[in-house]
Amino acid sequence: MSDSAAAGIEITADLVRDLLREQHPDLAELPVREVAGGWDNQQWRLGDELAVRLPRTERAPELQRKECRWLPHLAPRLPIPVPRPVRVGKPSVRFPKRWTVMTWVPGEPLDRTSISRADHAADTLADFLRALHVAAPAEAPGVVDRGAHPGAYTEGFDRLIRSVALGVRADEVRADGMRADEVRAVWDDAVAAPAWEGPPVWVHGDLHPANVVVSGGTLSGVIDFGDLFAGDPAWDLAAAWVVLPEGAAARFFDAYAHADGATIRRARGLAALKSLFLMLMGHNGERGLPGGKRAWGPAGRAALGRALSDGGR
């Protein structure tokens, strides 16, 4: 249960407008429209160019604080649009958590559409990650629940593959990409790969279909930097399989040009891990369970199939 639900607070358009009137009255008369999706935050479109994000998990206020601290530093040098903080809302009697107003990134999240211009999207993602993956300052956020070598997450991988397998009927095994022996082989190869030896670089940390935006058939924006950290770029390079269409990974790595073989091996294993998570959330959505996302199931199955069939070289 979210903090807001636990406190008996229903996040509505009226609440959003009341908070704006109290703290940012110059924005209060802009149209307010709820945006479907979201995990840690519930989002409301504010006019044509802004969005209000209200936290609905315990960790969300800290993630918003991180974005407000670092996105103004990162955004100017990134080649595609990302959210930028515009205003900060303070905790109040009406809503006891910090909240933010961010710029709106136009386009459709990839979990609700598809990429048709694969080469362009591969080049765009490579350009974005080359620009992002630079050495981070000492005060940058470090590894918390993600970002370490894949070997640190084998227990979690085992839980995921068991959970996903339980949700797949025997006649769906091939369609669901659950070729368990092949999945485990990709993961074991990532665990066996040498660790990242370069300096900690800026890493988005959560690139998957709900956090990238598509326009005109290609990647046009990246959102949700709440898991930003300094560490191993392989966590983002997994997007070569999780985000890009079939057959685009090789072009992506050629364009990125800075990933050695060990990094690609770690990235591919992490793509399998992320795909299993998407599949599990999809199964949960089909069952109507809290946090479930029906659209993530097909996205996860497709991503896992790409990770199994394409080594990225």
Side-chain angles (χ1 to χ4, degrees):
M1 180 180 291
S2 72
D3 277 3
S4 299
I9 298 173
E10 183 182 3
I11 302 176
T12 65
D14 288 340
L15 174 62
V16 172
R17 196 174 300 286
D18 286 346
L19 293 173
L20 290 168
R21 287 189 181 120
E22 290 174 0
Q23 300 189 33
H24 302 286
D26 59 314
L27 302 178
E29 300 311 314
L30 293 171
V32 174
R33 308 185 298 281
E34 186 173 5
V35 178
W39 187 278
D40 291 294
N41 299 288
Q42 188 163 337
Q43 186 165 229
W44 297 77
R45 187 86 177 265
L46 182 62
D48 293 329
E49 299 181 354
L50 301 174
V52 178
R53 300 170 73 215
L54 276 71
R56 57 184 178 190
T57 66
E58 291 184 9
R59 73 182 197 135
E62 182 55 37
L63 302 184
Q64 289 194 13
R65 192 172 289 109
K66 187 194 300 186
E67 289 181 309
C68 289
R69 167 67 179 87
W70 292 108
L71 279 175
H73 167 73
L74 295 173
R77 58 182 176 77
L78 298 177
I80 56 176
V82 301
R84 299 188 188 212
V86 175
R87 306 284 180 87
V88 173
K90 299 178 181 178
S92 67
V93 174
R94 293 297 309 276
F95 191 77
K97 299 290 183 181
R98 171 193 174 104
W99 49 279
T100 57
V101 179
M102 310 285 283
T103 56
W104 176 259
V105 178
E108 191 78 5
L110 181 57
D111 62 340
R112 298 180 214 159
T113 186
S114 61
I115 290 172
S116 57
R117 299 164 61 197
D119 287 353
H120 189 279
D123 293 344
T124 300
L125 181 62
D127 289 345
F128 169 77
L129 290 179
R130 275 202 319 272
L132 178 64
H133 290 168
V134 299
E139 63 272 24
V143 170
V144 181
D145 59 349
R146 68 189 73 193
H149 186 274
Y153 305 95
T154 292
E155 184 177 342
F157 171 86
D158 290 341
R159 285 198 302 269
L160 272 175
I161 198 168
R162 286 196 300 269
S163 297
V164 172
L166 286 173
V168 180
R169 300 194 310 266
D171 61 349
E172 292 179 326
V173 169
R174 182 62 58 170
D176 233 8
M178 275 307 300
R179 308 190 296 267
D181 54 342
E182 296 176 52
V183 179
R184 188 166 294 281
V186 169
W187 178 254
D188 289 345
D189 186 56
V191 170
W196 172 248
E197 295 182 350
V201 301
W202 283 114
V203 178
H204 178 281
D206 199 23
L207 290 178
H208 62 71
N211 287 341
V212 298
V213 173
V214 172
S215 298
T218 190
L219 184 69
S220 60
V222 175
I223 59 177
D224 196 350
F225 283 72
D227 287 302
L228 183 75
F229 67 87
D232 180 359
W235 281 83
D236 281 350
L237 299 177
W241 298 276
V242 176
V243 168
L244 295 176
E246 183 73 33
R251 182 182 179 106
F252 164 78
F253 282 111
D254 284 346
Y256 181 78
H258 298 307
D260 60 16
T263 300
I264 294 174
R265 290 165 61 194
R266 294 193 307 277
R268 190 181 179 205
L270 291 167
L273 180 73
K274 291 168 181 274
S275 300
L276 290 172
F277 176 76
L278 292 172
M279 292 168 66
L280 179 60
M281 292 301 100
H283 290 317
N284 288 349
E286 291 167 4
R287 298 185 184 100
L289 297 177
K293 308 281 187 182
R294 291 179 65 93
W296 289 15
R301 289 191 291 273
L304 186 59
R306 294 190 292 266
L308 295 183
S309 64
D310 183 356
R313 297 181 179 87

